[in-house]
């Protein structure tokens, strides 16, 4: 998959960080191209946590800026462990937006949290309902799933309805776990 993504970028002359997505058919092992984006996806922290590079942590935004400034994009990277992300949204059980003031916001320690709201923020309905991303890493999928579940249990956004309960039930689903 990696060789295909690199070859695709080379074929069109693309020289920066971006996203190439594929679908995997677990039954046959076949891989299918889905799309290529010349921007980072909202899930880019998963890549940053699950890819190790020589010389320190991976920062895809910094890499994009360096390439745009004329630096070469050359790094030695390899997959290491497993990372998974959950999007905490201000929405009810029917996926309808929840709006209002954030009376208190508490995010867990021990995982990466990219949050857009804090205590005192006001959430409206004019924009996407995502208010935070929780990204858990572990040496394997099971550990990462357990860490994400604990993080969701330790997340509290008072004043709004969020989807954290839905996300925890999703993580408990055997199909998702597999």
């Amino acid at each position: 998959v990696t060789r295909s993504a690199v070859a695709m970028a080379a074929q069109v002359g693309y020289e920066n960080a971006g996203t190439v997505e594929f679908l995997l058919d677990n039954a046959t092992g076949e891989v299918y191209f889905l799309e290529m984006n010349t921007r980072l996806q909202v899930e880019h922290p998963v890549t940053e946590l699950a890819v190790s590079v020589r010389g320190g942590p991976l920062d895809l935004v910094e890499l994009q800026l360096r390439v745009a400034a004329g630096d070469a994009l050359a790094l030695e990277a390899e997959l290491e462990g497993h990372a998974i992300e959950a999007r905490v949204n201000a929405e009810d059980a029917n996926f309808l937006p929840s709006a209002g003031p954030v009376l208190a916001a508490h995010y867990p320690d021990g995982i990466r949290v990219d949050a857009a709201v804090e205590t005192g923020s006001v959430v409206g309905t004019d924009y996407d309902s995502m208010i935070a991303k929780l990204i858990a890493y572990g040496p394997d999928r099971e550990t990462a799933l357990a860490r994400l579940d604990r993080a969701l249990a330790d997340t509290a956004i008072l004043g709004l309805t969020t989807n954290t309960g839905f996300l925890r039930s999703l993580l408990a689903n055997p199909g998702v776990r597999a």
Side-chain angles (χ1 to χ4, degrees), residues 1 8 19 26 29-30 32 34 66 77 101 141 149 152 155 164:
V1 169
M8 189 178 309
T19 304
N26 280 334
E30 291 291 319
Y32 301 94
L34 181 62
R66 286 178 180 257
R141 182 172 175 82
D149 185 54
L152 287 165
T155 298
T164 54

Side-chain angles (χ1 to χ4, degrees), residues 3-39:
R3 282 191 300 275
S4 294
V6 170
M8 189 178 309
Q11 181 68 32
V12 298
Y14 186 69
E15 297 180 5
N16 204 322
T19 304
V20 181
E21 295 184 18
F22 297 88
L23 294 174
L24 169 67
D25 183 337
N26 280 334
T28 66
E30 291 291 319
V31 176
Y32 301 94
F33 169 72
L34 181 62
E35 67 178 348
M36 179 177 175
N37 292 297
T38 57
R39 61 176 171 80

Side-chain angles (χ1 to χ4, degrees), residues 108-171:
D109 294 324
I111 67 159
R112 178 170 170 171
V113 176
D114 293 353
V117 301
E118 58 189 22
T119 301
S121 295
V122 176
V123 174
T125 57
D126 294 332
Y127 301 100
D128 188 287
S129 63
M130 183 171 54
I131 56 175
K133 297 183 297 189
L134 306 181
I135 310 97
Y137 171 82
D140 53 53
R141 182 172 175 82
E142 195 59 39
T143 303
L145 287 166
R147 288 179 178 164
L148 183 57
D149 185 54
R150 277 193 308 276
L152 287 165
D154 290 344
T155 298
I157 310 293
L158 303 180
L160 299 173
T161 301
T162 69
N163 66 336
T164 54
F166 168 76
L167 293 170
R168 292 194 70 208
S169 66
L170 190 64
L171 286 178

Side-chain angles (χ1 to χ4, degrees), residues 1-106:
V1 169
T2 302
R3 282 191 300 275
S4 294
V6 170
M8 189 178 309
Q11 181 68 32
V12 298
Y14 186 69
E15 297 180 5
N16 204 322
T19 304
V20 181
E21 295 184 18
F22 297 88
L23 294 174
L24 169 67
D25 183 337
N26 280 334
T28 66
E30 291 291 319
V31 176
Y32 301 94
F33 169 72
L34 181 62
E35 67 178 348
M36 179 177 175
N37 292 297
T38 57
R39 61 176 171 80
L40 295 178
Q41 302 288 72
V42 73
E43 302 87 3
H44 79 273
V46 170
T47 301
E48 291 179 338
L49 290 180
V51 172
S52 65
V53 294
R54 191 172 292 178
L58 179 62
D59 183 333
L60 292 172
V61 173
E62 179 184 349
L63 284 176
Q64 280 194 314
L65 294 172
R66 286 178 180 257
V67 171
D71 293 351
L73 179 61
L75 46 95
E76 295 179 36
E78 62 182 68
L79 289 173
E80 187 175 283
H82 189 91
I84 186 167
E85 176 180 298
R87 298 178 186 186
V88 177
N89 293 336
E91 57 189 24
D92 66 18
N94 294 312
F95 305 106
L96 295 174
S98 174
V102 177
L103 303 176
H106 169 78

